Amino acid sequence: MKTSLSRRSVLAGGAGAAAFMLGGRPYGANAAMDKVRVAFGDVIDTESLPMAIALARVKDRGIDNEIISFAQEDLAIQATIGGQADVGIATPFAVMQRIKDLRIFFQDEALIFHAVVAKEYKTWKDLDGQPFVFHARGSGTEAYGNFMAKQNGIKFGQITYLAGSGHRSVAMLAGQIKATILDLPNTNLVLEKAPDKFHLLPGPKQAVTNEGIFAHQGWMKDNPEAVAAITEEFLKLYREMKANPGIIAEEREKRGLLADQPKETAEKITAFIKQGMDSGLWNPEGGSEALARADLDFYSISGAIKGPLDQLKPSDFWDLGPLEAAKKKLGG
């Protein structure tokens, strides 16, 4: 079955995803796996095109898969926890101490977001007691905001959630939001359209994991070929993107992905991919022991992970085995 990745189909798929959660096969009933179900906690757009292309390449290798896009990141995480999806792509750190057999095996995207705020907020200190908007509970944007709040000794006022950087950028430009965290393309959009109203505040210096590719250890053990194919194809593509940012535009056209995207948006894909690679949004090495430790540092300070930092083990959150095997096979 061909998966359509247009914005309309993804948004229409929100209701289908909810129904799917009620009727999907449970974890453990996957011995005769016919399709890898991938839960993604956002809409598929230009930024997530590399993910869609990597999974399309996995399908080329004979590992059928289906992307199920959820309106909220926590729904994608819950679907993976409950077995209605096999693999999740989201920020699972807030639940990993409770669901102890979840492991990240590849960093899909680093936490390269930006705090975009009204110019009346000159520093983070000016946001003490002020309203703030995040993507979702437990998301990378919330961890980012909590991290910076603790670093600056402030506490936000009313917290609200609005899924999707695109929706938050529209709300900012409409005057409904004064402070939020946006992804790279929507940061560019807001600053381009309203440079006199908004500016950026400094963010974390470490490029930690925002979206990890994760699964239950039992599923990974039962499906080593699928795990290996996913890891290898993401690693190969992200390395290709570093050498040739134009590969994403080429693959998009060849595979008919986001076919309803406006021409002016499509023409900017390569420039955006290059900007993302230069900023560290996609990691051409996929992860490492050092990255796993940086994740623990960040998510511990932000409050998503509990307990003394010196007692937290990277191996309780990451399984680097598939990535090490992929690097040995592919080189590097």
Side-chain angles (χ1 to χ4, degrees), residues 1-6 9 35 44 59 64-68 255-257:
M1 185 180 86
K2 183 177 179 181
T3 303
S4 174
L5 299 179
S6 73
S9 67
K35 182 177 294 186
I44 295 177
K59 190 177 293 189
D64 198 8
N65 62 80
E66 176 182 18
I67 301 172
I68 306 160
R255 297 178 183 275
L257 302 177

Side-chain angles (χ1 to χ4, degrees), residues 118-190:
K119 285 197 171 180
E120 64 193 74
Y121 304 127
K122 294 181 173 55
T123 70
W124 281 102
K125 296 284 187 183
D126 296 328
L127 285 164
D128 191 26
Q130 298 300 308
F132 210 95
V133 181
F134 296 120
H135 171 69
R137 288 181 176 84
S139 66
T141 62
E142 187 172 52
Y144 182 118
N146 290 342
F147 180 89
M148 295 308 300
K150 288 187 178 183
Q151 294 283 77
N152 288 276
I154 65 172
K155 186 175 181 180
F156 297 127
Q158 182 181 6
I159 299 295
T160 54
Y161 300 94
L162 179 60
S165 275
H167 293 141
R168 294 194 301 281
S169 66
V170 169
M172 289 202 92
L173 292 172
Q176 298 165 342
I177 293 177
K178 287 188 173 184
T180 190
I181 310 293
L182 296 178
D183 62 13
L184 187 56
N186 284 287
T187 296
N188 292 342
L189 175 68
V190 169

Side-chain angles (χ1 to χ4, degrees), residues 320-331:
L320 291 168
L323 184 56
E324 291 168 355
K327 289 179 178 179
K328 185 176 181 180
K329 180 178 178 179
L330 302 175

Side-chain angles (χ1 to χ4, degrees), residues 13-14 16-28 30 36-42 66-92 95 98-99 101-102 214-216 219:
F20 179 84
M21 289 180 69
L22 296 174
R25 64 183 183 272
Y27 172 67
N30 203 33
V36 178
R37 304 159 301 170
V38 181
F40 179 52
D42 207 339
E66 176 182 18
I67 301 172
I68 306 160
S69 189
F70 289 84
Q72 296 182 19
E73 189 171 76
D74 53 349
L75 293 179
I77 295 170
Q78 289 303 319
T80 310
I81 290 172
Q84 290 84 27
D86 306 302
V87 175
I89 301 181
T91 314
V95 302
R98 178 170 56 86
I99 312 299
D101 71 330
L102 285 182
F214 63 98
H216 287 284
W219 185 88

Side-chain angles (χ1 to χ4, degrees), residues 94-266:
V95 302
M96 294 181 83
Q97 288 177 302
R98 178 170 56 86
I99 312 299
K100 297 184 180 295
D101 71 330
L102 285 182
R103 292 294 184 278
I104 297 170
F105 59 93
F106 195 92
Q107 184 192 75
D108 176 48
E109 286 189 4
L111 189 70
I112 307 298
F113 284 99
H114 299 280
V116 184
V117 303
K119 285 197 171 180
E120 64 193 74
Y121 304 127
K122 294 181 173 55
T123 70
W124 281 102
K125 296 284 187 183
D126 296 328
L127 285 164
D128 191 26
Q130 298 300 308
F132 210 95
V133 181
F134 296 120
H135 171 69
R137 288 181 176 84
S139 66
T141 62
E142 187 172 52
Y144 182 118
N146 290 342
F147 180 89
M148 295 308 300
K150 288 187 178 183
Q151 294 283 77
N152 288 276
I154 65 172
K155 186 175 181 180
F156 297 127
Q158 182 181 6
I159 299 295
T160 54
Y161 300 94
L162 179 60
S165 275
H167 293 141
R168 294 194 301 281
S169 66
V170 169
M172 289 202 92
L173 292 172
Q176 298 165 342
I177 293 177
K178 287 188 173 184
T180 190
I181 310 293
L182 296 178
D183 62 13
L184 187 56
N186 284 287
T187 296
N188 292 342
L189 175 68
V190 169
L191 295 183
E192 178 183 327
K193 289 187 173 295
D196 56 327
K197 294 181 180 179
F198 301 103
H199 72 129
L200 304 183
L201 293 181
K205 295 180 180 179
Q206 293 177 308
V208 299
T209 299
N210 174 45
E211 290 177 359
I213 305 177
F214 63 98
H216 287 284
Q217 286 181 296
W219 185 88
M220 294 172 66
K221 182 179 179 181
D222 291 343
N223 298 279
E225 290 184 5
V227 173
I230 291 170
T231 307
E232 290 167 17
E233 292 306 321
F234 271 85
L235 184 61
K236 282 194 290 187
L237 180 61
Y238 289 8
R239 288 179 173 182
E240 284 181 58
M241 288 160 58
K242 182 178 180 180
N244 173 26
I247 188 63
I248 297 302
E250 294 169 16
E251 287 274 317
R252 168 193 169 273
E253 186 172 356
K254 180 175 76 173
R255 297 178 183 275
L257 302 177
L258 292 181
D260 60 348
Q261 201 170 50
K263 182 180 178 181
E264 58 271 22
T265 301

